[in-house]
Amino acid sequence: ATERTLSIIKPDATGRNLTGKINAKFEDAGLRIVAQKRLQLTKAQAGEFYKVHAERPFFDELTTFMASGPVVAQVLEGEGAIAKNREVMGATNPADAESGTIRAEFAESVGENSVHGSDAPDTAKEEIAFFFSELEIVG
Ligand code: CMP
């Protein structure tokens, strides 16, 4: 079925001017960018977005990093978009990511790993609503 997923191009990638190269990977995989905005999160907003990780040892590092520069939040749409996006991103740790994936090509470490993608339909819905109103998503 046609699905939507939330994608974030992270500060390590925007800082290296990789937005276009990453978007090309999504489009080449058949994902459509149906909403997109560039913004800088506050640390509090990053903490709200990643609240499921609040008890993890890397939470402070993660939220500091996500607030350290611009991000590009986007909604990707397509057949099986959630799984397809996870395939295109590659494993969370770039050391484990398959060649050709975004993280294999561009990520610097498990923390500075260039992209985020929703992991399931319920989180996709919640994460899309964190950044976008329905009016801003044009399929
Ligand atoms: P993401 O898909 O955005 O979801 C949670 C993020 O936590 C994950 O990508 C990683 O970037 C980050 N993360 C996971 N493990 C670690 C770690 N050991 N140290 C720092 N960041 C981590």
Side-chain angles (χ1 to χ4, degrees), residues 20-41:
K21 287 199 170 101
I22 290 171
N23 281 349
K25 296 266 195 199
F26 295 141
E27 293 183 342
D28 288 349
L31 292 164
R32 306 181 75 85
I33 301 163
V34 295
Q36 177 166 259
K37 63 173 96 168
R38 181 174 169 107
L39 69 157
Q40 185 156 1
L41 295 168

Side-chain angles (χ1 to χ4, degrees), residues 10 50 53 58 61-62 92 103 110-111 113 115-117:
K10 296 187 180 185
Y50 279 117
H53 297 307
F58 55 81
E61 184 188 326
L62 172 62
T92 302
R103 284 164 172 161
V110 67
N113 65 352
V115 281
H116 166 82

Side-chain angles (χ1 to χ4, degrees), residues 32-33 40 53 88-89 104-105 107 109 136:
R32 306 181 75 85
I33 301 163
Q40 185 156 1
H53 297 307
V88 174
M89 289 194 294
E105 266 183 49
S109 65
E136 295 175 305

Side-chain angles (χ1 to χ4, degrees), residues 3-4 82 118-126:
E3 275 179 346
R4 287 175 174 175
I82 296 168
S118 307
D119 63 0
D122 54 330
T123 49
K125 198 167 188 285
E126 205 176 302

Side-chain angles (χ1 to χ4, degrees), residues 25-84:
K25 296 266 195 199
F26 295 141
E27 293 183 342
D28 288 349
L31 292 164
R32 306 181 75 85
I33 301 163
V34 295
Q36 177 166 259
K37 63 173 96 168
R38 181 174 169 107
L39 69 157
Q40 185 156 1
L41 295 168
T42 64
K43 191 169 165 167
Q45 289 169 329
E48 176 62 22
F49 181 80
Y50 279 117
K51 60 181 184 295
V52 296
H53 297 307
E55 303 307 321
R56 304 279 194 106
F58 55 81
F59 183 68
D60 190 69
E61 184 188 326
L62 172 62
T63 54
T64 298
F65 166 62
M66 289 301 289
S68 69
V71 298
V72 177
Q74 19 186 223
V75 179
L76 306 180
E77 185 180 86
E79 188 65 29
I82 296 168
K84 189 174 282 182

